[in-house]
Amino acid sequence: MRRLTQDVPRRAVAVLGALGAILVAVPWFANDYLLTVLLIMLYFAYTGQAWNVMMGFAGQLSLGHALYVGLGAYAAAALYVHFGIAPWIGLAAAIALAAGCGAFMGFLAFRFGVGGVYFAILTIAFAEFARIGFDHFAWVGGSSGFFLPVTNYAGNDVWSLRGNPTMFYYVMLTLTAAALVVCRALLKSRVGYYWLAIREDEAAARSLGINTFRYKMYAVVISAGMTAIAGVFFAFYYNNLFPEQVFHISRSIEIILGPIIGGIGTLFGPVIGAFLLTGVSETMLEILNALGLDVPGAKQVFYGLCLLLIVLALPDGVWPWLARKLGLHGKGA
């Protein structure tokens, strides 16, 4: 624990504790709509953190992370629907499937020297292959969609992930907090230092004796496995899966926007970015609805404007700037 909190200012620990307490208490006074928005924020904070392991820590750009969300979602949902296997048990299969796919893709790319923009294109291609494949996979509904049975429960069943939004909110909050702890631990480990060396200069890292192939593979596998967990949550929260939606590149873009806005390579960047982007976009949509305006593509245009402003004004992201202003900046933060 001491190793995880070293180099972190006391003020930052206090602020983090206060924010954690507020988030835990939110369901006591929030309505269903606000709770749903916060749940979506936490979902993108978690998936952004998972993507950040691959890109922010190890410098491997992925534009097809929806692949791992979809694989995790379909694996756990299929085991639940066809065999009655609880999602927390199906989670093991989901992680194994996504991590295996990530390992296969990483092996193909890194063994043959595929990197940079070409690796990013490869990740898009794998996600598209999965979308087309699941479109014709009748066992999980194909293009007609795969639906999980929905039952009205008198209470919350965490084991089967059946319950009201408050239960799902606390599950997602726990996952997001766990992701922060895991990523902090990874950054403070030897693996984390090797990742940062590879990100900054892979050739120099290799000349120092770092097995860049092995550690890049670690980044891909860990990132894929973490993202698959979000896929399981996605399946049991929405109760329906369509390949065109789950594997679409727009889903991958939504995952990476949080870290880009908040700050790639930082721990709290994905969280800040997800909260800012989702919060402001939902507010904008509510204002448009209140004015009786229906503007197709308004959210996508807003995302584009946000990216443009961040690139021009804060190229390192919102979190590094905000941390400096508030005196919360620390190593690895």
Side-chain angles (χ1 to χ4, degrees), residues 150 167 234 284:
V150 179
M167 185 205 72
F234 183 96
M284 179 195 69

Side-chain angles (χ1 to χ4, degrees), residues 8-143:
V8 179
R10 291 183 178 178
R11 183 184 298 181
V13 175
V15 170
L16 185 60
L19 288 175
I22 292 172
L23 289 172
V24 169
V26 159
W28 300 346
F29 56 82
N31 57 33
D32 288 343
Y33 173 73
L34 178 58
L35 198 62
T36 300
V37 172
L38 285 171
L39 195 152
I40 294 171
M41 290 177 180
L42 289 171
Y43 171 81
F44 284 119
Y46 176 86
T47 53
Q49 196 72 262
W51 178 83
N52 202 36
V53 170
M54 187 186 295
M55 175 59 191
F57 299 168
Q60 307 305 306
L61 177 59
S62 169
L63 296 179
H65 246 56
L67 167 67
Y68 308 123
V69 174
L71 291 177
Y74 271 104
L79 290 174
Y80 179 76
V81 172
H82 293 299
F83 305 108
I85 296 176
W88 295 109
I89 298 177
L91 183 66
I95 293 174
L97 180 61
C101 182
F104 177 69
M105 180 172 58
F107 179 84
L108 288 179
F110 304 144
R111 180 58 68 190
F112 296 101
V114 176
V117 67
Y118 298 106
F119 178 74
I121 293 172
L122 182 65
T123 62
I124 296 174
F126 266 75
E128 281 298 293
F129 290 154
R131 182 184 65 81
I132 295 170
F134 276 86
D135 249 342
H136 298 84
F137 194 8
W139 192 60
V140 289
S143 60

Side-chain angles (χ1 to χ4, degrees), residues 278-311:
T278 305
V280 177
S281 66
E282 288 296 325
T283 302
M284 179 195 69
L285 290 178
E286 283 300 306
I287 292 174
L288 290 176
N289 290 333
L291 295 174
L293 299 176
D294 182 15
V295 184
K299 183 178 286 190
Q300 286 72 23
V301 172
F302 171 76
Y303 287 162
L305 290 174
C306 285
L307 284 175
L308 180 62
L309 290 174
I310 290 299
V311 168

Side-chain angles (χ1 to χ4, degrees), residues 9 26 40 45 66 96 125 164 183 189 216 233 295 321 325:
V26 159
I40 294 171
N164 59 38
C183 288
S189 68
K216 286 193 295 183
F233 175 89
V295 184
W321 172 82
K325 291 293 183 181

Side-chain angles (χ1 to χ4, degrees), residues 168-216:
F168 282 101
Y169 172 83
Y170 280 123
V171 170
M172 200 67 248
L173 179 61
T174 302
L175 289 176
T176 304
L180 277 173
V181 174
V182 169
C183 288
R184 174 68 176 175
L186 286 171
L187 275 181
K188 300 301 292 184
S189 68
R190 178 182 298 181
V191 173
Y193 292 125
Y194 285 173
W195 281 343
L196 297 180
I198 293 169
R199 183 190 69 186
E200 296 303 319
D201 192 329
E202 185 173 342
R206 192 181 300 112
S207 69
L208 291 173
I210 297 174
N211 189 331
T212 57
F213 172 81
R214 175 188 299 173
Y215 288 99
K216 286 193 295 183

